[in-house]
Structures are given as structure tokens and as C-alpha cells.
């Protein structure tokens, strides 16, 4: 009977509307098409997250593949079926940190000073991320410590809730909020010279 | 950060996560509150930059690596060179039908066995009588001549 139900489930088509939660359950039941759908849905985000953490495209490619391979191997352990993305980014962050340790390129980043002065704000309507601004944007991100950067990216780039970030990184909610706040101030201070003036 | 203490709500406005009513209310508030306006300007600018940056990546090639590491089936793909070769050959067969009698294969005027570099060469000619065994393994068009079993066994 269970086998029949599983077979019926498997024959349901996978569409863009199929929620992650359903895909996770189907992938846990051994349906590789469901896992591939999860891959296709999240690979762009994971790859960008890893490129931002590792700052090297080829390393990010390898780490992306490793992240999904680990996710596949550990998927049975995921009990919060609707939290696939935070869980996945948590794995990606671990993979990135391992890669960095192996490379030993990154020195320990010291606790940085966060600018406290009130700075002007840009006009969001005139923000155009051309190649020049993207370069400064990438630089500004790279100034942040890796942990802080991971938290900021999870929130701003990948839309995770603060609680999800806390769970993914194993931090308290207060730490997540504080880290993202500090990351933001630093990002803004770096970007300010390259953005144009306040909206009236 | 907004000293109104509404940073997280403003953030939800900037990212589009906030309900419409709340977004409308906070935007109206920000018109009169310099701190919230400042914060919202920044939040919206950050959101705009992250959004513009997203979706510029090419990632399709990564599945093969995941599949091989996970024991999942990778999509079967022909090597590029073979695809190019098959396309070139198909084109030449079509052209050959118009311009010449039944073609057989030779590479740019030489009868040497084909090297892998030659697979990308657009200068492939078909000459009558040349054996199909000169086709690289895996090229996907039909051979009208029988291939000897000894040749197949040697591969
Ligand atoms: Zn206010």
C-alpha cells in the first residue's frame, strides 16, 4: 500500500509550483528527479553565495557541487522539510569554510571597526549596478569578515528570515541581528562614494 | 539604522515581504521621518543592487559534478567536438547531395586517420569508397557500409 502511494506520488509531475517541501519529501523517498528539481531551483543562489564567500569562481563551482552532493547524502536528516534553502546555505557555508581552511589563504579577520557616523543615503531609483559599481560592491562585500558576510548575504541576497539564519549558522537571534547590522553599516560606508544622492 | 526601531519592518518593505497595508503605512511615515526615509533609501538601494546582481550566472554545467558525486544519473551528453562533427557532416551530406556523387570521408586532402583536432575542422569532405571506420567513435549518423566485426572488436 505504501509502495503504491509512493508510486502515485512519483508520477505527479514536478512543476515550478511544486513546493520545496514536497520535493524534499519525494527526494527523501529516493526520487532523483525531485532532487534535481531542488538543484535547479537553488543552484544559482548557492553558487552566488559561495562565490561571495570564496571570491574565486572555480572554487565556487567546486564548492557548489560539493554542497549539493552533501545535501543529497544528508537529506534524510532534514526534518524541517520546508526549510530546505536555509539548511542548504548552512551546508554551503560549511563547505566554504572548509575550503578556506584548506587553502589557508585567508588570515583570521580581526574584529573591524564599524563606522558609527550618520552618512547620507542614496537614491534607490538611480541605483544601476553596472560593471563599475558591481566591482565596488564586490569589494565592499569582501571587506566583511566571512561569517558576517555569510549572514548578510543570507538575509539580503537570499531572503532568509533572521530565525532561519540563526538556525543555519548556529547563532543566537541577537547575534544574527547584530552581525547583519554591523555588516550593513560597513557595506554602506564602502558604497557611499559610488552612489548618487538622496531621494528628495 | 532607523532609531524609530522599525528597521526590520522597513526591510520587509524594501524586499517586498511586507503586506501592502504595512508597506503603505511605513512609506507614508518615511515621508515625514528623516531617519526612516534614510533607512528605507539604503535598504531599497541594497535590495536593488542584490537583485540586479542575481541571475547573471551560468550554472547549468554544475549538475554533472553533483550527479557523479552523488551516484545520480548525469545527463548524457556528447562531447562538443562530436556534436560539431556530426553537424558539419550532416551539412556536408546535404551539400554533397546537390553537388557531387555519393561522398565518403577524407580530411582536408589527407588520407591520414583523423586526429581529435580534426574533429572540429569544418573542412571535411566525403569521397566515394572511403570506409566508415574513419568516422570517430560515437558520431551519430548512419553508416551505409558494413563495419567488420574485427574492427568493432578492436575498440
Ligand atoms: Zn521613523
Amino acid at each position: 500500500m505504501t509502495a503504491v502511494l509512493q508510486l502515485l506520488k512519483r508520477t505527479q509531475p514536478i512543476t515550478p509550483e511544486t513546493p520545496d517541501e514536497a520535493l524534499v519529501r519525494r527526494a527523501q523517498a529516493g526520487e532523483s528527479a525531485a532532487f534535481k528539481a531542488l538543484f535547479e531551483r537553488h543552484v544559482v543562489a548557492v553558487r552566488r553565495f559561495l562565490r561571495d564567500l570564496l571570491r574565486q569562481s572555480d572554487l565556487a563551482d567546486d564548492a557548489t557541487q560539493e554542497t549539493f552532493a552533501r545535501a543529497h547524502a544528508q537529506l534524510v536528516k532534514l526534518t524541517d522539510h520546508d526549510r530546505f534553502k536555509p539548511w542548504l546555505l548552512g551546508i554551503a557555508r560549511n563547505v566554504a569554510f572548509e575550503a578556506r581552511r584548506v587553502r589557508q589563504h585567508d588570515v583570521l579577520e580581526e574584529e573591524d571597526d564599524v563606522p558609527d557616523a550618520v552618512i547620507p543615503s542614496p537614491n534607490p531609483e538611480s541605483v544601476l549596478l553596472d560593471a563599475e559599481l558591481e566591482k565596488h560592491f564586490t569589494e565592499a562585500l569582501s571587506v566583511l569578515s566571512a561569517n558576517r558576510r555569510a549572514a548578510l548575504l543570507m538575509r539580503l541576497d537570499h531572503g532568509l528570515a533572521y530565525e532561519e539564519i540563526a538556525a543555519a549558522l548556529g547563532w543566537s537571534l541577537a547575534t544574527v541581528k547584530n552581525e547583519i547590522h554591523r555588516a550593513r553599516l560597513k557595506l554602506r560606508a564602502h558604497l557611499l562614494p559610488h552612489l548618487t544622492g538622496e531621494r528628495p | 539604522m532607523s532609531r524609530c526601531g522599525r528597521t526590520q519592518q522597513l526591510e520587509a518593505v524594501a524586499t517586498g515581504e511586507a503586506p501592502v497595508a504595512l508597506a503603505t503605512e511605513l512609506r507614508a511615515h518615511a515621508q515625514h521621518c528623516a531617519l526612516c526615509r534614510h533607512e528605507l533609501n539604503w535598504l531599497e538601494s541594497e535590495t536593488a543592487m542584490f537583485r540586479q546582481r542575481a541571475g547573471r550566472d551560468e550554472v547549468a554545467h554544475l549538475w554533472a559534478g553533483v550527479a557523479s558525486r552523488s551516484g545520480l544519473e548525469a545527463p548524457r551528453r556528447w562531447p562538443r567536438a562530436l556534436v560539431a562533427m556530426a553537424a558539419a557532416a550532416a551539412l556536408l551530406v546535404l551539400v554533397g547531395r546537390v553537388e557531387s556523387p555519393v561522398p565518403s570521408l577524407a580530411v582536408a586532402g589527407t588520407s591520414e586517420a583523423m586526429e581529435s583536432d580534426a574533429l572540429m575542422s569544418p573542412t571535411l569532405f566525403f569521397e566515394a569508397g572511403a570506409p566508415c571506420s574513419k568516422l570517430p567513435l560515437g558520431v551519430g549518423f548512419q553508416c551505409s557500409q558494413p563495419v567488420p566485426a574485427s574492427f568493432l572488436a578492436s575498440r
Side-chain angles (χ1 to χ4, degrees), chain B residues 17-152:
Chain B
E17 295 163 319
V20 178
L22 178 65
T24 309
E25 182 208 318
L26 283 174
R27 282 188 192 284
H29 167 79
Q31 293 286 318
H32 308 288
C33 173
L35 290 170
C36 285
R37 188 166 64 247
H38 174 270
E39 183 64 17
L40 190 58
N41 279 347
W42 266 113
L43 291 167
E44 288 189 321
S45 298
E46 289 159 7
T47 305
M49 283 184 276
F50 275 110
R51 290 224 171 118
Q52 288 175 49
R53 203 177 62 125
R56 292 181 181 175
D57 302 321
E58 173 53 49
V59 290
H61 62 288
L62 297 175
W63 173 251
V66 176
S68 71
R69 291 179 203 203
S70 305
L72 295 162
E73 194 195 352
R76 294 184 129 256
R77 267 209 211 144
W78 283 7
R80 269 188 189 189
L82 293 185
V83 173
M85 166 71 182
L91 185 68
L92 283 162
V93 166
L94 280 174
V95 172
R97 273 191 191 149
V98 178
E99 290 179 358
S100 69
V102 184
S104 66
L105 187 70
V107 180
T110 164
S111 59
E112 295 293 306
M114 282 204 324
E115 299 294 330
S116 58
D117 282 349
L119 296 182
M120 293 302 288
S121 167
T123 53
L124 292 170
F125 300 101
F126 287 82
E127 287 169 5
C132 284
S133 60
K134 286 206 171 171
L135 293 178
L137 191 66
V139 170
F141 43 79
Q142 288 288 310
C143 178
S144 60
Q145 295 177 25
V147 178
S150 59
F151 170 75
L152 290 176

Side-chain angles (χ1 to χ4, degrees), chain A residues 4-162:
Chain A
V4 174
L5 279 175
Q6 248 175 33
L7 195 69
L8 278 174
K9 259 189 190 170
R10 282 191 192 197
T11 53
Q12 283 173 4
I14 292 169
T15 69
E17 284 73 41
T18 308
D20 274 8
E21 191 180 350
L23 291 176
V24 167
R25 289 179 191 279
R26 288 168 69 167
Q28 284 177 332
E31 188 181 344
S32 51
F35 186 74
K36 177 138 193 241
L38 287 167
F39 168 84
E40 283 165 357
R41 201 171 278 185
H42 297 291
V43 62
V44 171
V46 168
R47 206 299 188 151
R48 193 169 64 250
F49 181 63
L50 284 163
R51 198 193 52 210
D52 285 333
L53 291 184
L54 293 166
R55 287 174 264 164
Q56 223 176 300
S57 288
D58 55 340
L59 282 179
D61 279 356
D62 188 61
T64 302
Q65 296 176 67
E66 181 60 22
T67 296
F68 278 96
R70 282 192 202 179
H72 183 261
Q74 297 168 16
L75 196 62
V76 283
K77 293 188 207 156
L78 179 63
T79 48
D80 291 337
H81 299 101
D82 57 341
R83 297 243 165 147
F84 181 71
K85 189 176 181 185
W87 178 76
L88 187 65
L89 291 180
I91 294 176
R93 177 257 201 172
N94 290 341
V95 170
F97 280 30
E98 282 169 32
R100 285 156 54 93
R101 233 170 276 144
V102 171
R103 278 164 64 217
Q104 298 192 328
H105 271 195
D106 288 282
V107 290
L108 265 179
E109 285 137 310
E110 71 277 21
E111 188 56 22
D112 37 22
D113 290 327
V114 169
D116 215 13
V118 174
I119 56 174
S121 63
N123 179 356
E125 281 157 22
S126 66
V127 169
L128 176 68
L129 194 73
D130 56 12
E132 182 70 10
L133 183 56
E134 185 166 1
K135 197 187 86 185
H136 295 301
F137 188 77
T138 305
E139 276 169 14
L141 283 175
S142 71
V143 169
L144 304 171
S145 76
N147 265 320
R148 192 171 281 172
R149 184 163 63 226
L152 183 82
L153 292 166
M154 283 178 166
R155 177 67 201 125
L156 292 194
D157 197 13
H158 303 287
L160 265 55
Y162 285 87

